[in-house]
Amino acid sequence: MTVSTDVDVVPFEDRFAERAAALLAAAHAPLGEASPGTDLADPAVALAHLNARDADGPAVVALDGAGAVAGFMAASVTGFPGSPQARVRVQQHAAAPEGARAIYRRLYREISGRLTGIGCFEHTVAVSAAHREIITCLVELGFGIDQIKGVRPLTPPRGSAGQTPLRPARTEDLPQLLDLTLELQRFHALAPMLRPALIDLRAIRDDLLAAVGDERRLVLLAGTEGRVEGFVVVDPDSRFPGVATIGIAVVTASARGRGVGTALLSGVVDWAVRCGFRGCGTEWTSANLVSDAFWRGHGFVPARYTLARRIDPRVAWADSHLSYRDLCPEVGRDSAG
């Protein structure tokens, strides 16, 4: 169908779900095999995601001139109390290919106004790497690439792993694992990433403790009994079937360049093969020069991007109706004369 650039944006209602699900399914390539609950190219799966969408953020649809759904966008509000963040996940947006740029611009105009109205000034949108037009559209709207999700086949990684000893983590390793986690957060606070080190250390400790005791997950560390030089946490991927995804991955600064990261990746690949996975995934901050070089250099190909926009919160109180002429009448007289 041909979509006019003049669309009407209205709140999402249940009666729009089936058409929105069709748009979502059409926007994604089939995963190639049975993957219950994850293949967004399956209209039934897409509809189930829409019916289960979070109700804690705004959701809107774009209607064309005939009143048909031409696109939709929904946001989930998360984050620290008093500093909410809005996430638009992969399954929370789609548009008809014809006029997609104009549709996304109108959808985000409505969503962003509602989000800033509730004090939410950090917005992220997850987009398949195949959707280049949507990525470009979001960049035009003030977003930038923030996170990259990469996937690689389960082949042995290139590069020397040295003589780094590896072993599964034990409960008594938790203090060192937490120390490395804090080191990672401090590293992310450096240029050019410049991320404040705001983490819930208790939640991370609880998750590491659970992962150590879960045979479906892997916590693999590198180093000797007395000193841990790096570790990774690996889980089955919730979106990519058959993929074992590395969550936390850290090598202490003093051990970089000695093959510790390559050894850990090799250990992950071995574990994933034994467990019947077909691929390995991970996610990294695009501005992290060390991680970006390492993961790309070891064969990880971008499959999804998360784009972020951080809005100056002063927009909530700065009076846009005030003009320079109101503040400095003499400026107006000078310019007029």
Side-chain angles (χ1 to χ4, degrees):
M1 76 176 170
T2 301
V3 179
S4 169
T5 56
D6 186 18
V7 295
D8 188 23
V9 178
V10 300
F12 196 111
E13 298 177 4
D14 290 343
R15 62 191 176 97
F16 299 131
E18 189 169 343
R19 173 58 184 159
L23 289 175
L24 180 59
H28 291 271
L31 294 176
E33 60 181 73
S35 51
T38 62
D39 192 351
L40 292 177
D42 181 342
V45 173
L47 182 59
H49 278 286
L50 288 179
N51 287 336
R53 67 186 184 280
D54 294 330
D56 60 351
V60 296
V61 297
L63 303 178
D64 64 14
V69 175
F72 76 95
M73 183 178 289
S76 302
V77 178
T78 61
F80 291 100
S83 181
Q85 303 166 347
R87 295 181 179 179
V88 179
R89 298 180 172 90
V90 171
Q91 67 270 26
Q92 292 178 306
H93 64 93
E98 303 86 356
R101 177 178 179 272
I103 294 168
Y104 268 91
R105 291 171 74 85
R106 289 293 308 280
L107 289 169
Y108 182 66
R109 183 177 76 175
E110 185 67 27
I111 285 279
S112 61
R114 297 186 182 202
L115 290 171
T116 55
I118 62 173
C120 186
F121 301 105
E122 183 174 333
H123 307 163
T124 65
V125 183
V127 184
S128 167
H131 295 166
R132 303 302 302 182
E133 182 181 5
I134 298 174
I135 293 171
T136 299
C137 174
L138 291 170
V139 170
E140 292 173 344
L141 287 167
F143 285 81
I145 293 176
D146 182 52
Q147 298 289 316
I148 303 172
K149 175 65 175 284
V151 179
R152 76 182 299 276
L154 288 180
T155 54
R158 296 193 300 269
S160 172
Q163 301 298 315
T164 305
L166 304 175
R167 64 173 175 83
R170 299 187 291 262
T171 302
E172 55 266 31
D173 297 314
L174 281 177
Q176 289 194 75
L177 301 187
L178 289 173
D179 286 343
L180 283 175
T181 302
L182 287 172
E183 181 182 334
L184 178 64
Q185 295 303 314
R186 287 193 292 268
F187 177 71
H188 275 82
L190 301 176
M193 291 166 286
L194 300 172
R195 292 290 182 84
L198 301 174
I199 61 171
D200 186 338
L201 201 58
R202 178 173 295 179
I204 293 175
R205 180 189 182 281
D206 291 345
D207 184 67
L208 285 172
L209 186 61
V212 167
D214 190 340
E215 62 182 15
R216 297 166 300 178
R217 307 173 68 185
L218 173 68
V219 183
L220 184 68
L221 60 81
T224 63
E225 291 291 332
R227 175 170 168 77
V228 178
E229 296 182 322
F231 78 98
V232 292
V233 180
V234 191
D235 295 274
D237 198 285
S238 61
R239 181 62 56 194
F240 296 85
V243 171
T245 288
I246 300 168
I248 298 176
V250 55
V251 173
T252 191
S254 62
R256 289 185 199 143
R258 302 210 316 259
V260 175
T262 301
L264 285 166
L265 179 57
S266 181
V268 169
V269 168
D270 291 344
W271 175 84
V273 169
R274 292 196 305 271
C275 293
F277 291 99
R278 298 181 308 280
C280 180
T282 192
E283 188 166 358
W284 66 93
T285 300
S286 61
N288 186 334
L289 306 185
V290 174
S291 291
D292 190 76
F294 179 84
W295 297 120
R296 289 179 186 269
H298 283 79
F300 285 86
V301 176
R304 184 184 69 212
Y305 294 101
T306 299
L307 289 90
R309 184 185 185 201
R310 293 175 177 86
I311 299 165
D312 188 332
R314 291 176 296 182
V315 71
W317 56 262
D319 191 343
S320 61
H321 297 291
L322 275 177
S323 69
Y324 286 107
R325 183 171 296 179
D326 294 324
L327 295 170
C328 305
E330 67 278 7
V331 173
R333 287 196 300 271
D334 292 343
S335 62

